[in-house]
Structures are given as C-alpha cells and as structure tokens.
Amino acid sequence: MSERSTLILAIETSCDETAAAVVRDGRYVLSNVVASQSALHAPFGGVFPEVASRQHVRDIHPVILSALSSAGHGWGDLDDVAVTRGPGLSGALLVGVNAAKGISMATGLPLLGVHHIAGHIASHRLCVDGRMFEPDEAPPVDYPPLPHVALVVSGGHSELYLVRTFGSIEHIGGTLDDAAGEAFDKAARMLGLGYPGGPAIQAAAEGGDPTAFRLPVGRTDGPLDLSFSGLKTALLRLIEGMRDSDAPLPVADLTASFQAAVAKALSLRVVRALEAHPEARAVLVSGGVAANVALRAALKDATSLPVRFPPLALCTDNAAMIAAAAHIGLCEDAPEVAARAGLDLDVMASLPLGA
Ligand code: KG4
Ligand code: ZN
C-alpha cells in the first residue's frame, strides 16, 4: 500500500457511541473522543434507536470540538473529514453524516464515506502488541500481516473475513442470528446483570467454573457460520429450571459456562477458517467482544499463528478506526472500505463487506 501523509478528522455515530478522532497518516491517534450512551440504554437492556439518535444530536458538536482541541489542531490543519456511512442504525448514522457534510461545506474539506466493519478491521493499523503506536514510532514492516483472517465480534456483528489486501476482502462466514455481543447482552438481561452485558458477564464469571454446565456451541450448515440462538435458549431453560428451587442461582458458574461456550463457538470457526485458508498469516480480532478475556485465551490456544487484539479503546466503537479505514481508502483502491463522497452521501443501515 502506498502511504500518504494525511491528517484526518473522523466521525462515528453508527450505534450508541458518539465518537470523533484525529489521526495522522492512518497510524497515529492524536485524539480519540467517545461519548458513550450505555447508561442511557441500560434500562432497555439494549440500544433504543430513537434515544440513540437524539443523544448523538446533543453530543456530536462537543465531541468533535474536543477531538480537535485534544489533538492540538484546528480546522485549517486537516486534510479530510471521514464519517461512518453504514452499517448501523439509520437515524444514528444520519447525525454523523450530516455533521461531516456541514464541516465539509463550511471548511471545503473533502468528504470520505467509511464502512463501519472495515473500520473495526482497520483498527489494527493503529496499534501493535495491544497498544497504540507512539507518535512517529515506525510500524513493524508489513504490519498488520496480509493475508489474515479477521474476526469482527461486536454488539451488531459476528463476521469472519479473509483479508488478502484491504482492497480484496472476502466474507467467509458469519452469524445466522444474533451477534456475539448481542448474545452476551441478552444473557446478562436474563440474569439481571445490566447493560452492556459483555463486561457484566465477564465480571460475574470471575471465579466461576466454565465446565459447570454444558451449553451448545451452535451447529450450522456452513462450517464458518455461527448461531447463538440455541445457546441463548439453553441458558434460559437452565435458569428457568433453577428458579423453581429455593437455592440462589449459581451466577458465577452460569456466566463462566456461557462465556466459555461463546469463546468455543468463535474459536472453532477461526480454526476452520485457517484450515480453509492456509495462506493466512495471522488472526486479527476486533469489535467490543474482542475485549473478552475468555475469548482471548481460547483463540490463543486454538492456533500457533499470531492472534492480535487492539487495546480496549480501539475494540469498542470509536472514530480512530474510521480514520484508519479512511486512510486506506485514500492510499489504495478499496472503495468498499472507504471512498470519496459528495454532499449527497447517504447512510446505509445494511451494507455488505466482501460479499
Ligand atoms: O463494537 P461495539 O462497541 O459496538 C458495536 O458495534 O456493536 O461492541 C459492543 C458489544 C456489546 O454487545 C458488549 O456487551 C460487548 O461488545 N462487549 C463485551 C465485552 N466488552 C464489550 N463482550 C464480552 N466481553 C467483554 N469484556
Ligand atoms: Zn462496531
């Protein structure tokens, strides 16, 4: 990929995080501001789309200004403004896209529309060994390695890709029903553990026995596809069965077993993906669920290839990853990842990648 010197302001509002970031040369995060709406959606046990859109409207302006000021830059220093155009919640995406258009109109900065999942994959261009690059630190040669298997696991997505180059991404598998993060969120709701469910389940599982309950890994016809609906139902049946007794629910064992089942389901698909694509040189995991400790351990046990996870701030939704993807769109022919757009840029609630 031919590198280009850029200073990109990126905006991300696809779900329940209002985010803006300034990234230099597609590698160096100068600022990465996120206003999370988790507390606002907690009473609903999941993201309430209308509430999300309205909160983005309130937060977008201060978040963008904060990203600029903590990067130590003004409008005149920027080269481009990039924004997530999909997939995501339409009403939420519209807030970011319209903010980016307003900036483009007022400043003359060129606009880039970015694919959210490609952003998660591109988050690995901002970090190495689980930490962000220091300013001007030379990235390792040929990093992240290509081709690689990318596992994107978040509240909205559980997908597997073979990334040959960023301009040649192939979708090789994914969930047929719930996303992994959604499964965590629903399991947490069943156990009354709050939202977001992933961190709550992880905390509750500490000290629990992951082998205490046998939960299904979710068989699918396609060997690289995933299904979490059977696991969810199995957990619900277990809980309902136990509620009849007077004994308190064994929450630590239940959550540890649930978490182990999700980790096993995902690592099994990664192993199969590597068998089907022996040319892959690494496994790159991203999305909110990449923060999960049980998943991290299971994936590292599953293969001798390097398995990489971004630091926490780049796992969950953020705008730095959108800037990284935008930089790729500027440096190579990868229109699915990011492309120049006009003021008629529209949002796409569903937007395939590498189909
Ligand atoms: O990537 P993300 O911030 O937003 C989406 O694009 O969906 O991911 C949020 C999801 C939530 O479902 C949350 O429960 C899950 O990531 N999550 C975790 C952990 N931290 C966040 N799941 C499992 N373990 C965690 N430690
Ligand atoms: Zn995401």
Side-chain angles (χ1 to χ4, degrees):
M1 180 166 128
S2 67
E3 297 294 341
R4 244 215 242 185
S5 181
T6 56
L7 192 66
I8 297 179
L9 168 70
I11 298 169
E12 151 67 40
T13 62
S14 67
C15 192
D16 63 341
E17 265 97 22
T18 317
V22 177
V23 173
R24 186 159 51 76
D25 302 340
R27 289 282 188 184
Y28 306 105
V29 180
L30 305 189
S31 66
N32 190 23
V33 178
V34 180
S36 172
Q37 304 177 2
S38 285
L40 207 61
H41 299 286
F44 307 108
V47 179
F48 195 120
E50 168 88 14
V51 171
S53 309
R54 287 170 183 270
Q55 193 59 33
H56 285 311
V57 169
R58 292 184 199 104
D59 286 340
I60 189 81
H61 187 221
V63 163
I64 291 172
L65 292 185
S66 164
L68 267 182
S69 71
S70 45
H73 282 289
W75 297 111
D77 303 328
L78 298 169
D79 296 307
D80 299 273
V81 56
V83 64
T84 307
R85 64 184 288 244
L89 303 168
S90 298
L93 288 161
L94 277 168
V95 179
V97 165
N98 280 331
K101 286 182 187 179
I103 291 168
S104 175
M105 281 176 74
T107 59
L109 286 172
L111 192 62
L112 282 151
V114 180
H115 194 292
H116 178 82
I117 299 178
H120 277 298
I121 297 173
S123 65
H124 287 274
R125 285 187 51 86
L126 303 168
C127 55
V128 68
D129 298 333
R131 62 171 179 83
M132 289 187 208
F133 287 121
E134 299 289 339
D136 292 322
E137 175 183 356
V141 176
D142 186 24
Y143 190 84
L146 293 167
H148 65 249
V149 165
L151 172 68
V152 182
V153 271
S154 70
H157 313 281
S158 291
E159 307 299 327
L160 269 169
Y161 300 91
L162 179 68
V163 183
R164 292 193 186 85
T165 66
F166 289 100
S168 168
I169 297 177
E170 184 186 345
H171 182 250
I172 54 174
T175 186
L176 304 175
D177 39 61
D178 288 350
E182 204 177 349
F184 271 103
D185 295 337
K186 288 180 178 170
R189 195 158 38 178
M190 288 178 211
L191 290 161
L193 294 174
Y195 175 84
I201 296 254
Q202 182 172 306
E206 265 176 51
D209 176 4
T211 63
F213 300 101
R214 272 181 68 90
L215 289 164
V217 176
R219 289 229 182 104
T220 48
D221 290 341
L224 302 185
D225 286 335
L226 288 146
S227 167
F228 292 107
S229 66
L231 170 62
K232 197 178 59 187
T233 312
L235 179 69
L236 186 63
R237 295 242 165 85
L238 260 180
I239 296 170
E240 280 171 353
M242 288 183 213
R243 283 231 162 94
D244 296 339
S245 97
D246 287 341
L249 277 179
V251 175
D253 286 351
L254 281 168
T255 49
S257 302
F258 174 83
Q259 187 172 256
V262 175
K264 190 169 171 194
L266 292 169
S267 50
L268 185 64
R269 272 36 174 220
V270 167
V271 168
R272 289 178 183 161
L274 294 174
E275 282 165 5
H277 299 284
E279 68 275 31
R281 295 170 54 212
V283 178
L284 270 55
V285 191
S286 48
V289 183
N292 188 264
V293 285
L295 175 63
R296 289 181 174 222
L299 285 172
K300 290 211 157 149
D301 281 352
T303 171
S304 54
L305 286 181
V307 185
R308 307 282 186 211
F309 305 91
L312 215 57
L314 297 178
C315 283
T316 46
D317 284 350
N318 65 88
M321 70 183 195
I322 300 304
H327 179 82
I328 290 168
L330 288 174
C331 296
E332 67 179 289
D333 185 26
E336 270 196 320
V337 171
R340 284 251 178 262
L343 290 175
D344 59 349
L345 176 66
D346 198 3
V347 302
M348 301 288 282
S350 61
L351 186 60
L353 178 67

